Amino acid sequence: MSISTPTHSGAEAAPPHDEEQRLRELGYQPVLARRMGGFGNFAISFSVISILSGCMTLYGFGMSTGGPAVMLWGWAGVGLFVLCVGMALAEVTSSYPTSGALYYMADRLGGRKWGWYTGWLNLLGLLGAIAGIDYGAALFTGAFMNLQWGFTPTPGKTMIIFVCILLLHAVLNLFGVRLVSVLNSISVWWHLAGVAVIVIVLAVVPSHHQSPSFVFTEFVNDTGWDNPLYVAAIGLLLAQYTFCGYDASAHLSEETSNASVTAAKGIVRAIWASWIAGFVLLAGLTFAIQDYKGTQETATNVPPAQIMIDALGTSGATALLLIVIAAQLFCGNAEVAAASRMVFAFSRDNALPGSALWRKVSSRTQTPVNAVWLSVVVAAVLALPSLYSATAYGAVTAINVIGITPAYAIPIFLKLRSGDRFERGPWHLGRWSKPIGWIAVVWVAFVTVLFLLPQSSPVTIDSMNYASIALIAVLVLATVWWFVARRSYSTPSAYGTAREQAQIEEDVI
């Protein structure tokens, strides 16, 4: 990322920081295995963003909330603002490369309560992301099985597939960060090659394509709301949901070499690479639509699958769906890794009920085993309403956005408020730090309010946006638990006290 201004001078590159020493300076005893390189760190955020997950699973939502015009131009605009958020967050990550990431940054820059609420919001978003990603993978797996074997993807059967995927990701994460890193590296090339194959096949094989004017200007409103600006704003959820999870690079920083630089770069590179590839993917899908209404009402419950069926036939669609499903599985696995590290770090500072259990680390794999299991269990619970409500999946994706996105902005805002008291790390934005930071904070405030609003009219029990209830619930839980845990919760002092270091070492099992 060329925007950053190196803190050294001269032609020679700056030597890598002693990250273990830096971690001790921040108050933590290193207990996780630092086996991830710069590409692996970039790969985990790129895998969590996963354009073949977010773009695909919410494509049907986008078809109804503004249609092609909002999907394409919304993606371009949202991506630009998210890049500002990512660069501003990367700058803070360079100063505080810990697994706690956002909440630790907020704690150091604003105090204990800032860290506390940031952590709970971040945790809600990460767990909601696991639920959203893996349930989306279950929907696509059901569509694939429908094409291949006539399987009927009822809500109950989809839930069973979802639980099986969660179990797969839990088991893969228990083998250690090296396997996670290898899978994420494969994921990058799988995503890029997958997008290329899907777009080229959809461009070459079908005899009919939509016109450029349809793809870039057609506006569709099936929400029940009359105001086109409101509908277009709601339609931005597709892009904003997809552009979530890039904090994974920060959460894996205690397992990354030269994390003060590589974790910051990983965040920014993951965003711009996803921005370009995602626009190509959305355009390729939209040009290939044969029957817009038929695609929306598909029996597979997955509109992109219907686009592929109409354009390529059942065999061709089946092959492309396998590409998408594999990408979604890579994505969900990376998200479980990121969320479990957040659970581990938050528990390390005694912020969660049962913290002593969740912060334990395996001496064999140096992996927070219990934190992995807690992450997948809570994700399963978050998706349970999908058994009873057709709109529940949209609520889960909104939970991800309104939980994690404000958590991105809080440390950025606190950094801006700190002014010259903020000590920059080796990766920073130089004179662009303040303008980019304020753009990021304003954007996050806008989308947070936006995605608490109703997404369809009339508002009923089935169509209500339950993200607002989830947000209120987590804030109430955080407030209540604050009065229980405020004496035990704290990030450690610099270098950590002897008691703090001994406690951390005892939790290696």
Side-chain angles (χ1 to χ4, degrees):
M1 181 64 196
S2 59
I3 289 179
S4 63
T5 305
T7 54
H8 64 284
S9 59
E12 294 184 2
H17 274 46
D18 183 343
E19 296 295 345
E20 304 289 48
Q21 177 60 22
R22 176 56 180 155
L23 190 60
R24 291 186 182 94
E25 290 173 3
L26 295 174
Y28 293 116
Q29 179 71 21
V31 294
L32 300 176
R34 202 174 287 275
R35 296 169 180 164
M36 183 176 284
F39 185 81
N41 187 275
F42 149 76
I44 192 166
S45 282
F46 184 81
S47 297
V48 172
I49 292 175
S50 183
I51 51 178
L52 285 174
S53 178
C55 291
M56 291 291 198
T57 53
L58 282 191
Y59 191 86
F61 176 86
M63 292 182 75
S64 299
T65 53
V70 173
M71 282 194 284
L72 270 296
W73 295 116
W75 181 270
V78 169
L80 180 61
F81 285 113
V82 170
L83 187 59
C84 290
V85 178
M87 288 190 293
L89 185 63
E91 187 174 44
V92 191
T93 299
S94 182
S95 293
Y96 303 109
T98 71
S99 295
L102 310 181
Y103 90 85
Y104 181 87
M105 301 170 194
D107 184 288
R108 279 289 183 262
L109 294 169
R112 295 174 71 227
K113 277 197 173 181
W114 280 104
W116 178 267
Y117 282 100
T118 301
W120 279 96
L121 286 170
N122 191 198
L123 188 59
L124 171 68
L126 288 168
L127 296 174
I130 297 174
I133 293 163
D134 280 1
Y135 195 83
L139 288 171
F140 271 76
T141 302
F144 170 80
M145 295 169 70
N146 175 264
L147 291 177
Q148 193 70 18
W149 301 295
F151 174 85
T152 303
T154 64
K157 293 177 181 177
T158 301
M159 184 60 64
I160 292 173
I161 298 171
F162 167 64
V163 171
C164 290
I165 292 172
L166 285 175
L167 290 174
L168 169 66
H169 288 154
V171 171
L172 289 174
N173 270 270
L174 297 182
F175 282 99
V177 74
R178 182 165 289 168
L179 176 60
V180 172
S181 183
V182 169
L183 291 174
N184 289 332
S185 298
I186 296 171
S187 170
V188 172
W189 302 113
W190 185 276
H191 273 81
L192 294 176
V195 169
V197 169
I198 290 169
V199 171
I200 291 171
V201 169
L202 290 178
V204 173
V205 176
S207 58
H208 168 74
H209 290 90
Q210 298 292 340
S211 66
S213 63
F214 174 86
V215 172
F216 294 105
T217 65
E218 183 72 14
F219 183 85
V220 178
N221 177 14
D222 293 330
T223 65
W225 298 109
D226 296 327
N227 189 321
L229 289 177
Y230 182 85
V231 174
I234 295 298
L236 298 179
L237 177 60
L238 182 153
Q240 187 64 50
Y241 166 69
T242 305
F243 281 116
C244 276
Y246 44 86
D247 58 315
S249 289
H251 288 296
L252 272 292
S253 58
E254 289 185 33
E255 295 158 89
T256 301
S257 301
N258 197 25
S260 297
V261 174
T262 53
K265 287 183 176 180
I267 291 171
V268 179
R269 288 171 174 168
I271 294 170
W272 67 252
S274 300
W275 188 19
I276 295 170
F279 189 87
V280 173
L281 175 64
L282 288 172
L285 282 170
T286 309
F287 271 112
I289 293 175
Q290 307 294 306
D291 177 2
Y292 200 92
K293 202 68 179 176
T295 298
Q296 287 179 295
E297 298 172 353
T298 173
T300 66
N301 295 321
V302 180
Q306 192 61 48
I307 293 174
M308 296 171 184
I309 293 168
D310 293 343
L312 310 173
T314 301
S315 298
T318 301
L320 293 189
L321 276 177
L322 281 175
I323 295 175
V324 175
I325 292 167
Q328 292 173 339
L329 294 177
F330 280 126
C331 173
N333 189 64
E335 184 60 38
V336 169
S340 62
R341 270 49 174 191
M342 173 58 195
V343 171
F344 158 76
F346 216 26
S347 299
R348 180 172 59 181
D349 292 331
N350 296 304
L352 296 181
S355 287
L357 179 63
W358 314 125
R359 65 174 174 247
K360 290 186 180 296
V361 175
S362 166
S363 59
R364 183 174 60 86
T365 62
Q366 292 181 277
T367 299
V369 174
N370 296 337
V372 170
W373 286 114
L374 180 65
S375 299
V376 298
V377 168
V378 174
V381 172
L382 286 176
L384 282 178
S386 297
L387 284 170
Y388 312 103
S389 171
T391 60
Y393 180 68
V396 170
T397 58
I399 286 170
N400 172 216
V401 172
I402 59 94
I404 207 168
T405 308
Y408 290 157
I410 292 172
I412 297 171
F413 168 74
L414 294 173
K415 180 208 72 174
L416 292 168
R417 194 183 69 168
S418 298
D420 294 336
R421 290 185 292 110
F422 172 71
E423 296 182 9
R424 299 187 302 191
W427 193 102
H428 60 82
L429 298 170
R431 67 180 184 275
W432 293 99
S433 179
K434 287 185 178 179
I436 289 176
W438 282 114
I439 290 171
V441 170
V442 171
W443 173 252
V444 168
F446 168 70
V447 296
T448 299
V449 173
L450 184 63
F451 297 135
L452 291 173
L453 300 176
Q455 297 170 357
S456 59
S457 179
V459 179
T460 65
I461 291 177
D462 287 334
S463 65
M464 180 179 174
N465 183 355
Y466 290 95
S468 55
I469 295 177
L471 179 61
I472 292 170
V474 77
L475 291 176
V476 169
L477 174 62
T479 302
V480 171
W481 191 248
W482 168 258
F483 290 103
V484 176
R486 60 182 173 177
R487 288 185 176 85
S488 59
Y489 163 73
S490 67
T491 56
S493 56
Y495 293 98
T497 64
R499 183 187 63 81
E500 288 166 343
Q501 300 293 7
Q503 183 181 45
I504 290 170
E505 290 172 357
E506 285 175 5
D507 288 323
V508 179
I509 57 174

